[in-house]
Amino acid sequence: MSLVSYAIWHYGKALKTAWSLWGNFIAFVFNFFSIRLLLKTYFSKFGRLGEKYRGGLDLENLLSTFVINTLMRIVGVLVRTVVILTSLVAIILVVISGLILYVIWLALPLVVLITLVYGLTLLI
Amino acid sequence: MNIRDLKKKARYYKPAIWTDRVLGFKFRRALLKTISAILFILICYYLLFVYPEQETALGALLVIFSMWAPFVAWEMFYNSLQTKDPHLVGLTPLVAKTLYTGFSRDITGSFLSSNLGKEILKRFALDAREFISSVRVKYRGEDVFVKESNFVDLSLYIGSIIEQDTTFREFLFAHAISEEQVLNLCQWLERDFYIKLAKSRWWTRDALLRVPSIGVAFAYGRAYLLEQFSLKVEGDQSDILFDYFEEELDQIEEILIRSKEANALVVGSRENLHMISLLQKKIERGNVHPQIEHKDLFVLDTEELISVARDKATFEQMFLKILKEVIHAGNIILVIEDLPAFILSAQSLGVGIVPMLEPYLASADVQVVAFSELRTYQKVLEPNEIIREKFEELLVEDKEKEIIRAITENYISFIEKNQGVFFEYKAINAIVMGIERYFVRNSPIDEVTDTLVDLAGRINELGKRVITEKDVLELFEQKTGIPMQEANQVEKEKLINLEKILHQRIIGQNDAILSIADTLRRVRSGISNPNRPMGTFLFLGPTGVGKTETAKALAANFFGSEKNIKRLDMSEFSGPDALERLIGSFETGQVGALPAMLREDPYGVLLLDEFEKASGDVHDLFLQILDEGIFSDMRGDKVNARNILIVATSNAGSDLIWQYAKEGKDVSKYEKEIVDAIVEKKIFKPELVNRFDSVVVFHPLAREHILKIAEIMMRKLSERLRAKGVEVKLSPEALETVVGEGVSSKFGARELNRVLQDRVESAVARMMLEGKIKKGDSMVLRGSDLSS
């Protein structure tokens, strides 16, 4: 009786839940790397560090502020690019492992049987 | 629907119940962890050290995997059964579990033998073995009906059993356990079950999104000065308080996402401060509007800021810098826990916070969430136009009671798990009631955690494990100095004979004494309302008839010593500044007489002399105190008046009392007429008089009463003289002389003691000088001896 309800669940509700679980992990990667935020602030200064332009026509000052701010933007872009690329790798990993797990789940009874039999033959 | 039908619905949970029966939940968790660890080690071993041709390692890996995979899949199935919305199934997993325990021929017995039943019995310190095996009417599944058929939770199920099984109800009653208590406990156990379930599910979106993100640091700036003068808020870890503030949190969110003037001002009691960590958690969960995503709440330490800045210029400089940092950082919501206090303490440096804040509050770059108590809000914030304009106000009703219970229950689960102690249900109840009643000033969260940690520590020290109601009361007694445990034999006798004891000091006034004694017996037997003062009396009567003396006698007998009397001369609180003098002034920071008195010692008799002379404001304040036993001082901090006996004395209506007395009427029978006359003269508002537990009319003293009083006074005086070596007594005729002089219609017996002392002492002194008496002599003074 319990085994029947398990089987119904395994090929019914569990498959549906798997999709939402997959979604959860992808959402987790998005949130962990804050991808949306990084894209939105892609060209901003790193950690909002930098200098403010003071008024007046002090050429030296203008130039140094410009250089510092540009530098911070470049650093920002670089760091963000690295993080975004890492997150892309993570998302690909989640997607692929999700697919693999999905297939394993579908064939689980068979997989268990095969690994058990093959494992035992290797041991004996 | 009867229980047999309910059991059909419970079939859904059957695989989970069967699983638990075969292998216990905890054991399964441990087993799964072990197998997972072995599998992990084998995988690492195979990948790192072993060449593919080593078949044994691979064989072991595959065999372990073939055991692990179905185990995990089954656990997921188990989890899915438990977490399905119980409303869809029609009952909760806990109900299903009890339904599948034991025998269907005895529903009550099988429930009591289930694990859950056993836990409930243990919480009530009950042994039901005898009850279960006793000969009684046994109810079968088809005999017991549940009221609601769509959804049955534990308390509904158990409630139905209690309602229909009379013997079981009687059994509970015999052990002083009410149905309500059992149902409360059931609700708690079920809540606890779901909280634990939610905690174990790390794969839900909610749990996964709680992991902080790493990209935020690159996008937002830091606020270095603010970080020094504030506390970064941690998101609340438990889910229990969300339900209580859900609506308010949504409202705050709506305010914070505005394009400008996105500032919320939360007005109400201190419990509202819980919303800070709840709001942070809500943001961390990610289900908020994009405008406040990734935001961090920082609670500004205003006191620290002011004390470090010291002068106006430095403070202004620092505060402006902090505000600029907030804008620069871009993801900070500033929290001010007590806005009125901040405004006033900045004022002491000569700084106007509101004008300084105004441009920032108006902009889109700063978001502030500020809190205020109602009283200080009305006094400081409401009259300020800028505040009204720039802040959106949110008035929140008091939820203290519910919150204390929720926090206590939640924290008990935690402490029980970590400290290995066990709380009986009556102990939990005592904690909730005690904190509500005795510790009103601090945040209830702090009080609950302190109390529970204290209790667990003490019990562990004693080598015990179970925390009972007695342990809790003992701790509270120690903390407050207020006796809480059931009256002991000596005290019981004192209560029973209270009239006699009071009559040793109070002559006459039989009705007054009876009414007071009745009230006190009610209080100490625990059937009075805990959310009011212990007792409240209005003593009416002419001067010198024993009103104050009765209050003193009460303090001495009921609270152990006459010192436990706190006396306020209410004629001092009659001017326009009366209320400020009584509860303190917010502007000057001066502490009021009443809060100071009650905080120093919250237990005893509060004597309000000449109550009629206090101003209308003061009378209005007492309307609240008499009703709720609690009031707020000038800073909005709560003051507890629930552990005092309030005695207000007044000679209002004395004319009428005299008149009735002269006509030979029993004045205590004319209480209504006297009170009506007082109300008519607008001395007291009718609602004020009605709020006293009892209005006691003291009759003028008759000559025989006064003689008795004089005798008592003379006895005391002769004791004092005996200590000096002289034994003095008064002849009846001399006593008459003293009484004649010491008693007036205006002052009653008030002057009697003074006259007695003056006349007798001076006579004795004169006689000693004249050599008529020596040390060691005893004598009786006659009337002629007293004449000067």
Side-chain angles (χ1 to χ4, degrees), chain A residues 1-7 9-10 13-14 17 20-25 27-34 36-38 40-41 44-50 52 76 79-80 83 104-105 108 111-123, chain B residues 11-12 14-16 18 55-60 62-63 65-67 69-70 72-74 76-78 80-81 83-84 202-205 208-222 224 284 290 293-294 324 327-331:
Chain A
M1 181 63 203
S2 288
L3 276 176
V4 174
S5 40
Y6 172 80
W9 171 79
H10 189 107
K13 199 185 163 197
T17 316
S20 66
L21 268 179
W22 211 357
N24 288 357
F25 283 103
F28 165 71
V29 176
F30 260 87
N31 180 62
F32 182 71
F33 294 100
S34 20
R36 216 152 53 96
L37 184 70
L38 291 184
K40 220 164 71 183
T41 58
S44 315
K45 288 173 271 184
F46 180 73
R48 296 203 175 189
L49 294 167
K52 271 201 184 130
V79 173
R80 284 186 192 98
V83 176
I104 292 181
W105 185 264
L108 192 67
V111 172
V112 168
L113 203 71
I114 291 170
T115 47
L116 181 67
V117 174
Y118 185 55
L120 283 176
T121 49
L122 286 178
L123 279 177
Chain B
R11 272 188 209 145
Y12 175 80
K14 216 174 165 187
W18 175 81
E55 290 176 345
T56 332
L58 184 62
L62 291 177
V63 171
F65 175 79
S66 69
M67 285 153 62
V72 170
W74 188 267
M76 285 162 94
F77 173 50
Y78 174 88
S80 151
L81 293 175
T83 49
K84 180 165 179 168
W202 57 269
W203 56 85
T204 57
R205 185 174 284 241
L208 286 172
L209 291 187
R210 242 174 264 177
V211 179
S213 37
I214 53 167
V216 178
F218 315 142
Y220 298 113
R222 293 270 300 270
Y224 296 96
E284 281 168 14
E293 252 184 343
H294 304 296
K324 281 184 181 143
I327 296 178
H328 172 75
N331 68 329

Side-chain angles (χ1 to χ4, degrees), chain A residues 7-123:
Chain A
I8 293 169
W9 171 79
H10 189 107
Y11 290 104
K13 199 185 163 197
L15 288 179
K16 270 189 233 157
T17 316
W19 281 107
S20 66
L21 268 179
W22 211 357
N24 288 357
F25 283 103
I26 291 173
F28 165 71
V29 176
F30 260 87
N31 180 62
F32 182 71
F33 294 100
S34 20
I35 298 175
R36 216 152 53 96
L37 184 70
L38 291 184
L39 288 175
K40 220 164 71 183
T41 58
Y42 194 64
F43 293 108
S44 315
K45 288 173 271 184
F46 180 73
R48 296 203 175 189
L49 294 167
E51 291 206 349
K52 271 201 184 130
Y53 288 98
R54 289 179 212 150
L57 236 170
D58 183 346
L59 210 62
E60 196 185 332
N61 200 309
L62 268 176
L63 202 68
S64 85
T65 310
F66 178 74
V67 169
I68 289 175
N69 286 352
T70 313
L71 214 64
M72 290 329 285
R73 279 183 207 279
I74 292 172
V75 173
V77 168
L78 282 178
V79 173
R80 284 186 192 98
T81 311
V82 171
V83 176
I84 290 172
L85 286 178
T86 320
S87 66
L88 277 180
V89 173
I91 287 175
I92 291 168
L93 278 178
V94 170
V95 171
I96 291 175
S97 49
L99 270 175
I100 294 172
L101 287 173
Y102 203 75
V103 173
I104 292 181
W105 185 264
L106 282 172
L108 192 67
L110 212 63
V111 172
V112 168
L113 203 71
I114 291 170
T115 47
L116 181 67
V117 174
Y118 185 55
L120 283 176
T121 49
L122 286 178
L123 279 177

Side-chain angles (χ1 to χ4, degrees), chain B residues 490-745:
Chain B
V490 179
E491 203 189 346
K492 270 182 193 162
E493 265 165 34
K494 223 185 220 180
L495 279 169
I496 294 167
N497 299 316
L498 198 58
E499 288 95 328
K500 250 189 227 162
I501 296 170
L502 289 178
H503 269 310
Q504 285 168 4
R505 284 180 68 162
I506 317 296
I507 305 303
Q509 314 298 5
N510 296 350
D511 294 303
I513 300 281
L514 185 70
S515 144
I516 294 160
D518 273 347
T519 308
L520 285 185
R521 278 190 285 260
R522 220 163 46 223
V523 169
R524 212 47 195 101
S525 55
I527 47 175
S528 66
N529 184 349
N531 294 330
R532 298 191 59 196
M534 283 168 95
T536 55
F537 300 98
L538 176 61
F539 288 178
L540 294 175
T543 310
V545 295
K547 301 191 296 286
T548 306
E549 188 65 16
T550 309
K552 281 185 189 167
L554 267 178
N557 289 303
F558 197 67
F559 299 97
S561 155
E562 235 176 73
K563 281 183 198 146
N564 279 324
I565 199 163
K566 294 162 240 302
R567 186 174 184 161
L568 283 176
D569 185 351
M570 298 313 279
S571 62
E572 288 173 20
F573 301 95
S574 55
D577 61 343
L579 192 64
E580 284 199 346
R581 281 154 43 85
L582 193 65
I583 65 166
S585 158
F586 193 72
E587 283 79 14
T588 61
Q590 201 189 340
V591 183
L594 191 56
M597 234 174 208
L598 293 180
R599 287 221 172 98
E600 192 187 328
D601 181 13
Y603 183 61
V605 175
L606 175 66
L607 175 61
L608 308 168
D609 261 340
E610 302 196 80
F611 192 53
E612 78 282 2
K613 290 197 177 142
S615 72
D617 285 352
V618 172
H619 282 170
D620 288 346
L621 173 74
F622 274 96
L623 269 178
Q624 188 197 344
I625 298 178
L626 296 177
D627 204 32
E628 298 167 20
I630 221 167
F631 65 98
S632 300
D633 70 359
M634 78 289 190
R635 298 204 330 177
D637 286 345
K638 283 181 188 162
V639 183
N640 190 353
R642 289 174 182 169
N643 306 301
I644 53 166
L645 213 64
I646 297 180
V647 176
T649 71
S650 167
N651 53 17
S654 294
D655 309 346
L656 201 59
I657 296 175
W658 270 113
Q659 195 190 317
Y660 285 130
K662 267 183 201 157
E663 290 165 11
K665 291 172 178 163
D666 179 358
V667 288
S668 60
K669 301 250 157 53
Y670 291 86
E671 183 205 307
K672 195 180 168 296
E673 285 79 358
I674 295 164
V675 168
D676 285 349
I678 292 172
V679 169
E680 209 166 286
K681 283 185 190 161
K682 299 207 166 111
I683 298 172
F684 294 125
K685 288 182 190 161
E687 61 266 33
L688 181 62
V689 180
N690 286 337
R691 244 166 250 199
F692 283 97
D693 286 340
S694 126
V695 176
V696 183
V697 180
F698 282 66
H699 56 71
L701 296 173
R703 197 157 182 83
E704 82 248 28
H705 294 137
I706 293 172
L707 276 174
K708 262 195 196 156
I709 295 171
E711 266 172 39
I712 294 175
M713 285 175 175
M714 186 57 214
R715 226 178 289 147
K716 278 189 193 161
L717 183 60
S718 17
E719 264 166 39
R720 279 217 312 277
L721 290 172
R722 195 181 302 133
K724 288 180 183 163
V726 195
E727 180 94 42
V728 179
K729 279 185 184 150
L730 279 190
S731 69
E733 164 229 354
L735 204 60
E736 290 273 352
T737 315
V738 173
V739 166
E741 241 178 81
V743 177
S744 67
S745 56

Side-chain angles (χ1 to χ4, degrees), chain B residues 26-123:
Chain B
K26 280 184 188 163
F27 180 75
R28 282 197 333 266
R29 276 289 129 95
L31 192 63
L32 187 60
K33 272 185 192 164
T34 317
I35 299 180
S36 306
I38 295 172
L39 188 67
F40 181 73
I41 292 167
L42 279 173
I43 291 174
C44 293
Y45 184 71
Y46 184 75
L47 289 180
L48 293 175
F49 305 111
V50 184
Y51 297 106
E53 55 266 29
Q54 284 217 356
E55 290 176 345
T56 332
L58 184 62
L61 178 67
L62 291 177
V63 171
I64 296 282
F65 175 79
S66 69
M67 285 153 62
W68 177 82
F71 197 165
V72 170
W74 188 267
E75 282 301 307
M76 285 162 94
F77 173 50
Y78 174 88
N79 209 290
S80 151
L81 293 175
Q82 305 259 32
T83 49
K84 180 165 179 168
D85 182 357
H87 291 270
L88 297 177
V89 189
L91 72 170
T92 62
L94 288 188
V95 176
K97 222 172 173 177
T98 55
L99 281 172
Y100 272 101
T101 316
F103 19 92
S104 55
R105 271 167 294 127
D106 177 10
I107 289 294
T108 316
S110 68
F111 161 66
L112 291 176
S113 333
S114 71
N115 283 341
L116 205 68
K118 279 181 196 154
E119 175 165 1
I120 290 175
L121 289 171
K122 199 174 160 198
R123 294 258 177 218

Side-chain angles (χ1 to χ4, degrees), chain B residues 764-775:
Chain B
V764 171
R766 201 177 56 238
M767 289 166 99
M768 279 175 107
L769 285 173
E770 287 168 359
K772 285 185 188 163
I773 46 171
K774 300 190 292 293
K775 276 197 175 176

